[in-house]
Amino acid sequence: ETGVTQSPTHLIKTRGQQVTLRCSSQSGHNTVSWYQQALGQGPQFIFQYYREEENGRGNFPPRFSGLQFPNYSSELNVNALELDDSALYLCASSREQGGETQYFGPGTRLLVL
Amino acid sequence: GQNIDQPTEMTATEGAIVQINCTYQTSGFNGLFWYQQHAGEAPTFLSYNVLDGLEEKGRFSSFLSRSKGYSYLLLKELQMKDSASYLCAVYNQAGTALIFGKGTTLSVSS
């Protein structure tokens, strides 16, 4: 196990609702990255947080937002849920930003009906 | 931009050796990663290559050629538990985002 934890493990929502996913980074890691993985695809980068600031963003709309807290844990918020948001959401932590190995948590599987 | 190509599926038998290839295009190279992902689980880090050559770690080895934009993951003495998806990834130029291929699903049979 990597020491990265995520909650909840599974979630069912309906279109238009909002969701908050949580991630605790591995001890000693100050950087958290979020990925979306659709079935049969590789993970797609959503954004990265480093020392409480967004440090890079992928091709996701503004209704995907995040936070990082002083203890380096992080949240991913998705507003106005769409059916296509159904996916596995992965959080990964790394020791620093900039090319370090990322270690993944178990993920949150979100189903939007 | 970045692009990663790897075969979609491979099959092999227990005890055999299998090589999973990955070709990549990137505007700035910050290293290449291999992850293993069992169905319904999170990716698990296997290897990291930043210099050309072979890195060996037990039954798994990874090779990199930066001039060719090419890597492979070599799995020896295959076991049933090696049945999984194997993901090749490189960092974007900023070193923030891992760019993943679609993954190679390996099926090991007895």
Side-chain angles (χ1 to χ4, degrees):
Chain A
E1 291 193 4
T2 62
V4 181
T5 61
Q6 292 185 244
S7 64
T9 55
H10 295 82
L11 205 51
I12 300 175
K13 292 286 189 178
T14 55
R15 271 187 310 174
Q17 285 190 310
Q18 178 265 343
V19 68
T20 297
L21 309 182
R22 294 177 175 85
C23 170
S24 291
S25 60
Q26 184 172 321
S27 177
H29 288 190
N30 62 20
T31 303
V32 172
S33 304
W34 286 92
Y35 293 82
Q36 180 195 67
Q37 187 175 25
L39 210 57
Q41 302 294 315
Q44 298 287 314
F45 176 72
I46 303 174
F47 43 56
Q48 182 181 86
Y49 277 85
Y50 170 66
R51 299 193 175 198
E52 302 179 59
E53 297 285 333
E54 187 178 286
N55 189 45
R57 188 178 182 94
N59 190 26
F60 281 80
R63 61 189 183 84
F64 286 78
S65 63
L67 282 173
Q68 188 179 33
F69 300 99
N71 66 354
Y72 305 126
S73 65
S74 177
E75 285 183 358
L76 163 66
N77 300 290
V78 188
N79 293 323
L81 283 167
E82 300 176 0
L83 297 180
D84 284 350
D85 295 333
S86 295
L88 179 66
Y89 287 85
L90 294 163
C91 161
S93 76
S94 53
R95 202 159 45 98
E96 284 287 337
Q97 55 91 29
E100 294 274 338
T101 300
Q102 296 189 12
Y103 296 92
F104 286 85
T108 294
R109 187 161 296 281
L110 173 64
L111 178 61
V112 182
L113 302 175
Chain B
Q2 284 79 29
N3 189 50
I4 309 276
D5 283 314
Q6 50 181 131
T8 305
E9 293 181 345
M10 299 185 72
T11 59
T13 53
E14 268 188 305
I17 300 173
V18 72
Q19 178 175 311
I20 303 174
N21 296 323
C22 169
T23 57
Y24 65 90
Q25 294 171 324
T26 180
S27 48
F29 185 74
N30 288 300
L32 186 142
F33 297 81
W34 284 96
Y35 285 84
Q36 179 193 59
Q37 187 175 28
H38 286 100
E41 298 182 10
T44 302
F45 169 71
L46 290 177
S47 69
Y48 168 65
N49 293 72
V50 67
L51 299 176
D52 290 350
L54 188 68
E55 294 278 345
E56 297 187 77
K57 193 187 291 186
R59 293 189 300 116
F60 293 3
S61 303
S62 56
F63 171 83
L64 175 68
S65 169
R66 288 173 297 171
S67 63
K68 295 181 179 177
Y70 168 69
S71 174
Y72 67 73
L73 181 69
L74 192 70
L75 292 76
K76 303 176 185 175
E77 301 168 17
L78 280 172
Q79 302 174 10
M80 298 290 285
K81 67 178 182 179
D82 297 329
S83 293
S85 178
Y86 291 85
L87 299 161
C88 175
V90 295
Y91 262 110
N92 64 354
Q93 190 169 15
T96 53
L98 278 174
I99 310 301
F100 284 87
K102 292 185 177 180
T104 299
T105 300
L106 173 66
S107 299
V108 181
S109 59
S110 56

